[in-house]
Coordinates of all heavy atoms in Angstrom, one line a residue:
T42 N 89.3 120.7 82.7 CA 88.5 120.6 83.9 C 89.3 120.3 85.2 O 89.3 121.1 86.2 CB 87.4 119.6 83.8 OG1 86.5 119.9 82.7 CG2 86.5 119.6 85.1
L43 N 90.1 119.3 85.2 CA 90.9 118.9 86.3 C 92.2 119.6 86.4 O 92.9 119.7 87.4 CB 91.2 117.4 86.3 CG 90.0 116.5 86.7 CD1 90.6 115.0 86.8 CD2 89.5 116.9 88.1
G44 N 92.6 120.3 85.3 CA 93.9 121.1 85.3 C 95.1 120.2 85.4 O 96.2 120.8 85.8
V100 N 93.9 116.5 96.8 CA 94.0 117.9 96.6 C 94.4 118.5 98.0 O 94.1 117.9 99.0 CB 92.7 118.5 96.1 CG1 92.4 118.1 94.7 CG2 91.5 118.2 97.1
P101 N 94.9 119.8 98.1 CA 95.2 120.4 99.3 C 94.0 120.5 100.2 O 92.9 120.6 99.8 CB 95.8 121.7 98.9 CG 96.3 121.5 97.5 CD 95.3 120.6 96.9
G103 N 91.2 122.2 102.3 CA 90.5 123.4 102.0 C 90.1 123.6 100.6 O 89.5 124.6 100.2
A104 N 90.5 122.7 99.7 CA 90.3 122.9 98.3 C 88.9 122.4 97.8 O 88.5 122.7 96.6 CB 91.4 122.2 97.5
D106 N 85.9 123.2 98.4 CA 84.9 124.2 98.1 C 85.2 124.8 96.7 O 84.3 125.1 95.9 CB 84.9 125.3 99.1 CG 84.4 124.9 100.4 OD1 83.6 123.9 100.5 OD2 84.7 125.5 101.5
Y107 N 86.5 125.0 96.4 CA 86.9 125.5 95.1 C 86.4 124.5 94.0 O 85.9 124.9 92.9 CB 88.4 125.7 95.0 CG 88.9 125.9 93.6 CD1 88.8 127.2 93.0 CD2 89.4 124.9 92.8 CE1 89.2 127.4 91.7 CE2 89.8 125.0 91.5 CZ 89.7 126.3 90.9 OH 90.1 126.5 89.6
W108 N 86.7 123.3 94.2 CA 86.4 122.3 93.2 C 84.9 122.1 93.0 O 84.4 121.9 91.8 CB 87.0 120.9 93.5 CG 88.5 121.0 93.2 CD1 89.6 121.1 94.0 CD2 89.1 120.9 91.9 NE1 90.7 121.2 93.3 CE2 90.5 121.1 92.0 CE3 88.6 120.8 90.6 CZ2 91.4 121.0 91.0 CZ3 89.4 120.8 89.5 CH2 90.8 120.9 89.7
R111 N 84.0 124.9 90.7 CA 84.6 124.7 89.4 C 83.8 123.6 88.6 O 83.5 123.8 87.4 CB 86.0 124.3 89.5 CG 86.7 124.2 88.1 CD 88.2 123.8 88.3 NE 88.9 123.6 87.0 CZ 89.4 124.6 86.3 NH1 89.4 125.8 86.8 NH2 90.0 124.3 85.2
N152 N 103.6 118.8 94.4 CA 103.1 120.1 93.9 C 102.2 119.8 92.7 O 102.6 119.0 91.8 CB 104.2 121.0 93.5 CG 105.1 121.4 94.7 OD1 104.6 122.0 95.6 ND2 106.4 121.1 94.6
G153 N 101.0 120.4 92.6 CA 100.2 120.2 91.5 C 100.6 121.0 90.3 O 101.5 121.9 90.4
W154 N 100.2 120.6 89.1 CA 100.5 121.4 87.9 C 99.8 122.7 87.9 O 98.5 122.8 88.0 CB 100.1 120.5 86.7 CG 100.1 121.2 85.4 CD1 99.1 121.4 84.5 CD2 101.3 121.7 84.7 NE1 99.5 122.0 83.4 CE2 100.9 122.2 83.5 CE3 102.7 121.8 85.1 CZ2 101.8 122.9 82.6 CZ3 103.5 122.4 84.2 CH2 103.1 122.9 83.0
T155 N 100.6 123.8 87.8 CA 100.0 125.1 87.8 C 100.0 125.8 86.4 O 99.9 126.9 86.3 CB 100.8 126.0 88.8 OG1 102.1 126.0 88.5 CG2 100.5 125.4 90.2
G156 N 100.2 124.9 85.3 CA 100.2 125.5 84.0 C 98.8 125.8 83.5 O 98.6 126.4 82.5
A157 N 97.8 125.2 84.2 CA 96.4 125.4 83.8 C 95.9 126.6 84.6 O 96.7 127.4 85.2 CB 95.6 124.2 84.1
D158 N 94.6 126.8 84.6 CA 94.0 127.9 85.3 C 93.6 127.6 86.8 O 92.9 128.4 87.4 CB 92.8 128.5 84.6 CG 91.7 127.5 84.4 OD1 91.9 126.3 84.6 OD2 90.6 128.0 84.1
V159 N 94.0 126.4 87.3 CA 93.7 126.0 88.7 C 94.7 126.6 89.6 O 96.0 126.5 89.3 CB 93.7 124.5 88.8 CG1 93.4 124.1 90.3 CG2 92.6 123.9 87.9
P160 N 94.3 127.4 90.6 CA 95.3 128.0 91.5 C 96.2 126.9 92.3 O 95.7 125.8 92.5 CB 94.5 128.7 92.5 CG 93.1 128.1 92.5 CD 92.9 127.6 91.1
E161 N 97.4 127.3 92.6 CA 98.3 126.4 93.3 C 97.7 125.8 94.6 O 98.0 124.6 94.9 CB 99.6 127.1 93.6 CG 100.7 126.2 94.2 CD 102.0 127.0 94.4 OE1 102.1 128.2 94.1 OE2 103.0 126.4 94.9
D162 N 97.0 126.5 95.3 CA 96.4 126.0 96.6 C 95.3 125.1 96.4 O 94.7 124.6 97.4 CB 96.1 127.2 97.5 CG 95.0 128.1 97.0 OD1 94.5 127.8 95.9 OD2 94.6 129.0 97.7
A163 N 94.9 124.8 95.2 CA 93.8 123.8 94.9 C 94.1 122.7 93.9 O 93.4 121.8 93.7 CB 92.5 124.6 94.4
A164 N 95.4 122.9 93.3 CA 95.7 122.0 92.2 C 95.8 120.5 92.7 O 96.2 120.2 93.8 CB 97.1 122.4 91.6
V165 N 95.5 119.6 91.8 CA 95.5 118.2 92.0 C 97.0 117.8 92.3 O 97.9 118.1 91.5 CB 95.0 117.4 90.9 CG1 95.2 115.9 91.1 CG2 93.5 117.6 90.7
L166 N 97.2 117.1 93.4 CA 98.6 116.8 93.8 C 99.1 115.4 93.2 O 100.3 115.2 93.2 CB 98.7 116.7 95.3 CG 98.3 117.9 96.1 CD1 98.1 117.6 97.6 CD2 99.3 119.0 95.9

Side-chain angles (χ1 to χ4, degrees):
T42 301
L43 283 186
V100 295
D106 292 337
Y107 167 83
W108 283 103
R111 183 178 178 86
N152 297 302
W154 170 240
T155 56
D158 63 342
V159 178
E161 183 176 359
D162 61 0
V165 173
L166 300 169

